[in-house]
Amino acid sequence: MIAPSILSADFARLAEEISAVGGEPGKRADWLHVDVMDAHFVPNLTLGLPVVESILKTTDIPIDCHLMIDDPDRWAPGYAEAGAHNVTVHVEAAHDPVNLAKDLRAAGAKAGLAIKPGTNFDDYVEVLKHYDTLLVMSVEPGFGGQKFMAEVLDKARKARRLVDTGHLKLLVEIDGGINAETIEQAAEAGVDCFVAGSAVYNAEDPAQAIEALRATAAPAFAHARA
């Protein structure tokens, strides 16, 4: 699965940029990744619920909201209620991640849990039993265009093993520095869904970039599972 991040899109042409990744099969985004930042949990400030609500009116691509915000227990359910397909919160910010997952699901969304590069995956295995998605951050959250941190792939491998053995039932997603070179490494580690910002939106043809990324990831993922 390829989830283009609109953080790298031209915000002045956002409807057009979203349309550019919503076309024919094979070149169509599986999810549209929307980064919500509050200038508190992370130093950057992006967009909030009103913009997400507007995006939901313009596309049928499932919206993947990544909330890099303080107090997600209070604010995250609103994104689910608005119609986001997947709402991801940071375990470092959540007060009660288990109850928050229940709230997100009750509001109609899949529940995602994100972990920063420095956060220990093993500490949250039991919590992840309540979630539908694990988002492994392969950069420090807050800004696009950072260099991929390959050392976090061990978390993806651990998660993949737990999914394959039935201990977890979730989708493994990765966010940060994903491009034509790094996506193969991540796929080999067992990642299901790849968030790609500049690799898609800095390309001359975003739809073609999606097709190329998927073509690189699919055989690597299949080979690693064989």
Side-chain angles (χ1 to χ4, degrees):
M1 294 172 60
I2 307 296
S5 171
I6 64 167
L7 187 63
S8 297
D10 180 351
F11 276 27
R13 301 171 51 249
L14 194 51
E16 294 173 49
E17 296 280 72
I18 292 171
S19 179
V21 299
E24 62 186 271
K27 298 182 178 182
R28 176 182 168 89
D30 296 285
W31 285 358
L32 189 70
H33 191 80
V34 179
D35 288 308
V36 176
M37 308 183 196
D38 64 357
H40 293 283
F41 180 69
V42 293
N44 200 4
L45 180 66
T46 54
L47 49 81
L49 184 56
V51 177
V52 171
E53 289 172 335
S54 294
I55 291 171
L56 284 160
K57 295 175 184 177
T58 68
T59 183
D60 62 352
I61 303 172
I63 302 301
D64 177 29
C65 279
H66 177 195
L67 306 185
M68 289 170 268
I69 62 174
D70 281 342
D71 200 10
D73 303 68
R74 176 182 179 185
W75 300 110
Y79 291 84
E81 291 164 1
H85 176 74
N86 185 75
V87 178
T88 294
V89 299
H90 269 267
V91 71
E92 303 88 359
H95 303 297
D96 187 341
V98 173
N99 276 336
L100 180 49
K102 294 176 182 177
D103 289 343
L104 291 171
R105 286 172 161 179
K110 292 187 178 297
L113 194 68
I115 54 175
K116 291 182 178 182
T119 298
N120 188 348
F121 168 83
D122 296 333
D123 292 342
Y124 298 103
V125 171
E126 291 302 311
V127 172
L128 283 167
K129 291 181 178 179
H130 301 272
Y131 279 82
D132 304 293
T133 307
L134 165 66
L135 179 58
V136 177
M137 292 300 299
S138 45
V139 297
E140 289 296 335
F143 293 93
Q146 297 181 61
K147 185 179 178 181
F148 181 75
M149 300 169 69
E151 58 268 27
V152 306
L153 291 178
D154 188 51
K155 298 176 187 179
R157 294 185 188 97
K158 289 180 177 180
R160 181 83 261 156
R161 285 196 294 271
L162 290 171
V163 171
D164 288 347
T165 56
H167 288 84
L168 293 177
K169 295 180 180 180
L170 49 74
L171 180 147
V172 183
E173 186 176 13
I174 196 163
D175 181 7
I178 293 297
N179 55 38
E181 288 72 42
T182 59
I183 195 169
E184 188 171 6
Q185 300 174 52
E188 288 174 346
V191 172
D192 299 290
C193 183
F194 308 87
V195 177
S198 55
V200 171
Y201 278 115
N202 286 0
E204 184 174 335
D205 184 340
Q208 188 68 41
I210 289 172
E211 183 180 40
L213 287 168
R214 188 179 285 119
T216 300
F221 183 89
H223 181 263
R225 307 277 72 74

